[in-house]
Amino acid sequence: MTLILLAGLFALAPPTGVRAYDTPDDGGGAIIIEWQISQDDQILDGYEIYRSDNGIDFEKVGFIGKGRTTIEDETNDGVKYLYKVAAISDTIRAYSEPSAEVMSYPQWINRNKINIFVAFFIFGGIILYFIYHARKGKELFIRKIAGLQAIDDAVGRATEMGKPILYVPGIGYIDYIATIASLNILGEVAKKCAEYETKLINPHIDPIVYTVAREVVKESYTKVGRPDAFDPDSVYFITDLQFAYAAAVDGIMVREKPATNFLVGWFRAESLILAETGASAGAIQIAGTDQVSQLPFFVTACDYTLIGEELYAASAYINRDPLLLGAIKGQDWGKLIIGAILLAASVIGIITKFPILNLFR
Amino acid sequence: MKIIDKLAKIDRRIIYLILAVVVILPMIFPSVLRVRVMPPVEKLFHAVDNVPKEKALIIDFDYAPQTAPELEPMGFALLRHAFRKRTKVLILSLYVQMLGLAQNALTEVIEEFNSVAETNTDSIIYGRDYVFLGWVPPPIIPILGMGESITNVYQVDYYGNRTDTLPLMKEIKNYNNVGLLVSLSGSDPPEWWIAYAQNRFGLQVGAGVTAVSASKYFSYYQTGQFSGLMVGMKGAAEYEEMIEKELAIKSRRIASEALPPLTYAHLVIMVFIVIGNISFLMQRRKK
Amino acid sequence: MKRTFPLFLVLIFGIFALLPYIIPHPIIQNTDELLRNNLLKILSAFALVLGLGSLLKVHTDKIKRKRENWEYSWVLIMTFIITSIIGLFGGVSGTGILPTSIGSFPFDIQTIYFNVVVPLGSTMFAMLAFFMASAAYRAFRARSTEATLLLIAGFIVMLGVLPLGNRISPHLPSFAQWIMDVPNVAGQRGILFGVALGAVATSLKIILGIERSWLGGGGGK
């Protein structure tokens, strides 16, 4: 009797309402377990989670602190599980009733990402619409971008002075948009170098970007009818270390004294080192990056700077190809629509209680 | 007017020389610049100060050599604070490269305390007052595992001792026995401690971060997820100021010594900008 | 064919790169991981061989033709060979078949990295302070109203982060923090919006083959 009384005194209230369900919008292998906290939650060490695949033998699969009501468990797909949650305090445990049977399985669609995909298709549709119109021969206006306007003059300056052009494509990998945009501009610069017989120096930090750039430059020389003038050693790999690359490029600037430096691509801390050394060597500098943190350094130290998407628009700007210009126009309209939606959503969010922000999560 | 033209085109080597002098001289002749302690650092100090006697403070040393100038003084100051208050301390790193730096900090601070200790009780003894848990890969696993059992995650400490044999670890089992964790890092670990340790287990978390990542972490401080925050060299200097003022701990204030070169370098740059602008405006007026 | 096949590959892989974002199913996720982790690594390894070949060719050519500073090319090539041998045969921490210590003096690849490469990198990083000073002096001129506003904001922020700023006025640090938190973040977010949309548009153009400058020769179609 005393023992039963003592047991009653030290008994913990178990957690209740244990519910287990397959984690939604995932690739399977996970089950979420929810419960209501024990009435003795304040004195607990936490909750232990037990799992069984036969309804008889339960094994411990997790632990979580007191006050918590949910946990996710890693499981094998297609296997039925039951769950129990135990409130623990020191060595005393109070087990809940088992949950209903549950099985995890992978989903084909992540519903949380649908809003982004819808936005992507709308935006893409607008761009394709304007490209379609551009095909019909409609004249499209693009505003002046000083940095791109200056490319011809910059190459001409190098030719007159008999000095080389240094083209630095940044330290990004080939899958960075800024690197691809930089290679587009490199193609154009290489064409002009081929036409004017100006020496081009193009050092690289990434081997894959180096191999692509080599082909881009070679094709440019071929396209203007000067395949013989292409020097394979003008495009070369230096090192894959950030500051070693910066030191090497600085050395090139000081020794070769290029008349024009192009610093176009994805940069990090070495941007100011490159830009300032180029400025001290007396070169005209055209820079461009989408890295917001490096833009102030380029704006300070370079003669022209392409900011963010001006870099991406370079190819369209230089070629004046109607399809590319159509894409730029579509992009601008997309921005306008997004701006209008943001403004409308802000007004709705401020004036009403409608949970407008949930549409964007 | 020739002077105006000269001032508009000062040779950059002169600028470099002057900058080098104003940075090097205060390092050769160190002085301490006192700082006003801002609320985020003050809150962190009080959070460390109020760790209950029966609970431990965990310090996560996650800075690399590049970020050590800003974060190492924070580590030193925290250890001095904890050892002065006789708070139990656990030290760990989420990355293996940081272990050497953590060991350096521990060795130096313990030497400081033990060189003036008169009795065994005054000394800082390994296993009784602190444990260096070391490193377990990958980063997230120990954060989650320590919620249940620290000795299960770190079965041996940095020196190869079984952690379950250490006296301190017999009292400190999991996060329920930890009053506060402070993460010193130049990258993501403070966010991980919030996401996994605080969200799941209710652990109190503070942080010491580099000045560059301050804007990212201030939002966590504003929401109360961080119990306090030290930012950059100045943040470290503020903590040094607190431990000297509140606990009378007299030791070398590395961060405070670094503030004069930082201040003078800023001032030199501002002076040059002013000179450049004055000569520019006068030249423009002349035209 | 030379241009059509790469465009076709870009179309297929470009579309496939989008799918893992919305389809969490393991078939798609595992294939994506195979491509990103395995295929890209293999490509990078081959590209590295090409890159190193290019580096060595440039410098051996320089030595052969005794171009300006050709002696330094010898330094590069010898250092490259020695470090490669130590790295390949000495093991990461001196545990390879080649002994990498003389007495208690180690020269394994880890020691070389931490004692040579890291300090050199830190030195280059430290030069930034000097370059910032000369760039600020040269470029921060009050040429226009906007430039003057920028100058004043820069001064406030620079003073605000120093202990001196607090002595000038206790409100200065808070005002400096406000400049960083509000106008600065607003401007950055504006640029980031444009960059994000530009990236989507550029990716779309490349995937659909409208943008083909990356193939070489410059120009679109």
Side-chain angles (χ1 to χ4, degrees), chain B residues 7-10 12 15-16 19-20 34-36 234 259 263 266-267 269-270 272-274 276-277 280 284, chain C residues 118 129-131 133-134 136-138 140-143 151 155 158-159 161-164 166-167 170 173 177:
Chain B
L7 284 176
K9 289 181 186 155
I10 299 174
R12 53 171 44 86
I15 300 174
Y16 296 161
L19 193 65
R34 303 206 87 95
V35 289
R36 186 180 122 198
K234 186 155 172 283
L259 280 184
T263 306
H266 274 73
L267 287 173
I269 292 172
M270 284 161 69
F272 275 117
I273 293 172
V274 167
N277 275 285
F280 169 75
R284 205 157 74 166
Chain C
V118 169
F130 297 94
F131 286 141
S134 63
Y137 163 73
R138 207 185 61 249
F140 285 172
R141 304 283 161 97
R143 290 190 178 92
L151 202 56
F155 266 66
M158 281 172 81
L159 279 174
V161 298
L162 297 174
L164 179 65
N166 188 55
R167 286 194 195 158
Q177 191 61 44

Side-chain angles (χ1 to χ4, degrees), chain B residues 136 141-147 149-156:
Chain B
V136 165
I141 300 295
I143 298 177
L144 287 169
M146 289 202 293
S149 169
I150 298 175
T151 49
N152 277 355
V153 174
Y154 295 94
Q155 290 179 7
V156 290

Side-chain angles (χ1 to χ4, degrees), chain A residues 194 215-228 230, chain C residues 217:
Chain A
E215 292 309 309
V216 166
V217 172
K218 191 171 161 189
E219 279 291 312
S220 293
Y221 274 71
T222 309
K223 198 152 187 172
V224 298
R226 296 297 316 272
D228 53 301
F230 170 63

Side-chain angles (χ1 to χ4, degrees), chain C residues 55-90:
Chain C
L55 178 70
L56 290 171
K57 183 175 177 299
V58 161
H59 285 276
T60 46
D61 211 50
K62 214 169 169 186
I63 293 170
K64 263 191 232 168
R65 291 169 204 235
K66 293 230 178 346
R67 289 207 186 118
E68 200 184 346
N69 298 315
W70 64 273
E71 297 89 350
Y72 296 110
S73 296
W74 267 120
V75 174
L76 184 139
I77 290 174
M78 295 312 299
T79 320
F80 173 78
I81 292 170
I82 293 168
T83 344
S84 301
I85 292 170
I86 292 173
L88 285 167
F89 302 109

